[in-house]
Amino acid sequence: MKRIGLLSKADGGTLSKIIVNITLPAVVIVSLAKISVTGALFFLLVMGISFNVLTIIAGSVISKKRSNVERKYQMYSMSGYNIGNFGLPFVQGFFPLAIPFLLMFDIGNSVMLTGGSTLLIDKLVGENEETSVKKIALSLLKSTPFTVYMIMLLLRIGNVGVPSEVLSILQIVANANGFLSMFMIGLYFEIRLPKKALYLVGEVLVSRYLVGIGLALIFAFLVPLEPLLRTSLVLICVAPMPTFSVINCVKAGMDEETVGFTSSASILISLLLMTLVMLLMT
């Protein structure tokens, strides 16, 4: 649709607002409405924070000889997972029972993406921290999906349900999330890269996916987990770079073209790896 001129990259912004504020919250409500809050779900929340911290530290070690801007680019690009707009719609039609696991992981993931990662990265590169815990909390509360996450989590901890009539309506909205998310990714997708940045981008992507595949192998073969939880974690390990990381890279001083290419290449690589995981683990 973009190539024939019917839509433009700018239309992705409108789709993004619909997804973030309407269809994704509907998925969260429908998926969490009847779950029992178990230790496994809280384990996923902790993993959402832990994965980000681990990959940021790995990026810091790998990029220690580079400039601060390139170090930040490396750490932001290696950390964070695109769950709401990619991971969730990707598994929605194949593993619907895994959706609560991905959503709980995304709560911890969101804490890092909306400020936690910046706090840690600024500390690792030796710069003054511009993000406070208060700013992170305010940023999270401004996020519609995160606010819905928290409301549903509290409701389920209190064993409070959502009326079936409401769920029936929201299910129609939730069903649109997968298509709209993938369509938005298509509108944003670009493969243009300055030649001078080719080596840097290659190293960043190789580092991200080597760490991701390493974590995936650990959870697949070494950690005793129930099958659905294991599959969810392995899929998450190879999920693509999130939009928040793209924004943070540009704020750190990297040019948009390089960061945009990194994000698009990440989507392609993750699409292949996640498909492979689904074929091998089903």
Side-chain angles (χ1 to χ4, degrees), residues 42 49 63 72 84 92 129 155 170 174 192 222 241:
F42 280 106
I49 296 174
S63 64
K72 285 186 174 185
Q92 214 168 347
E129 297 177 3
L155 288 176
L170 290 178
R192 295 174 185 171
L222 299 180
M241 179 180 171

Side-chain angles (χ1 to χ4, degrees), residues 256-273:
E256 293 183 9
E257 203 170 24
T258 299
V259 179
F261 179 88
T262 308
S263 175
S264 294
S266 172
I267 288 168
L268 275 180
I269 295 168
S270 289
L271 186 61
L272 293 172
L273 291 176

Side-chain angles (χ1 to χ4, degrees), residues 229-271:
L229 179 55
R230 177 184 291 111
T231 302
S232 300
L233 278 170
V234 173
L235 283 169
I236 287 167
C237 286
V238 293
M241 179 180 171
T243 304
F244 263 112
S245 291
V246 174
I247 294 169
N248 286 330
C249 282
V250 174
K251 282 183 179 179
M254 284 302 293
D255 63 276
E256 293 183 9
E257 203 170 24
T258 299
V259 179
F261 179 88
T262 308
S263 175
S264 294
S266 172
I267 288 168
L268 275 180
I269 295 168
S270 289
L271 186 61

Side-chain angles (χ1 to χ4, degrees), residues 25-189:
V27 172
V28 174
I29 295 170
V30 170
S31 301
L32 298 182
K34 297 180 181 179
I35 66 160
S36 298
V37 179
T38 63
L41 292 179
F42 280 106
F43 170 71
L44 264 296
L45 191 156
V46 173
M47 286 296 99
I49 296 174
S50 302
F51 276 27
N52 278 273
V53 172
L54 178 63
T55 49
I56 287 171
I57 293 172
S60 175
V61 173
I62 294 168
S63 64
K64 60 184 178 181
K65 294 183 179 179
R66 293 210 195 101
S67 67
N68 279 0
V69 170
E70 291 184 346
R71 291 193 72 196
K72 285 186 174 185
Y73 161 66
Q74 175 108 30
M75 287 185 271
Y76 279 128
S77 297
M78 284 185 64
S79 62
Y81 301 86
N82 193 332
I83 303 300
N85 290 336
F86 191 92
L88 194 63
F90 189 87
V91 302
Q92 214 168 347
F94 301 97
F95 295 112
L97 295 177
I99 291 176
F101 290 144
L102 269 68
L103 294 176
M104 288 299 289
F105 179 93
D106 202 30
I107 294 176
N109 186 48
S110 297
V111 170
M112 295 301 292
L113 292 178
T114 54
S117 295
T118 299
L119 273 175
L120 180 56
I121 289 171
D122 282 348
K123 187 173 182 64
L124 289 171
V125 299
E127 293 186 355
N128 294 327
E129 297 177 3
E130 298 178 356
T131 305
S132 65
V133 174
K134 182 180 178 181
K135 285 184 179 179
I136 295 174
L138 290 174
S139 180
L140 286 169
L141 291 174
K142 289 178 182 177
S143 165
T144 303
F146 187 83
T147 303
V148 175
Y149 280 143
M150 289 294 99
I151 292 171
M152 290 305 300
L153 187 57
L154 292 172
L155 288 176
R156 294 315 300 149
I157 290 174
N159 203 28
V160 178
V162 178
S164 57
E165 294 82 3
V166 174
L167 291 178
S168 296
I169 296 169
L170 290 178
Q171 183 66 64
I172 299 170
V173 181
N175 289 341
N177 188 68
F179 171 75
L180 289 179
S181 296
M182 291 299 180
F183 200 91
M184 181 194 70
I185 287 171
L187 286 177
Y188 279 137
F189 194 82

Side-chain angles (χ1 to χ4, degrees), residues 16-27:
S16 179
K17 289 179 182 178
I18 294 171
I19 293 162
V20 170
N21 296 297
I22 301 174
T23 62
L24 180 55
V27 172

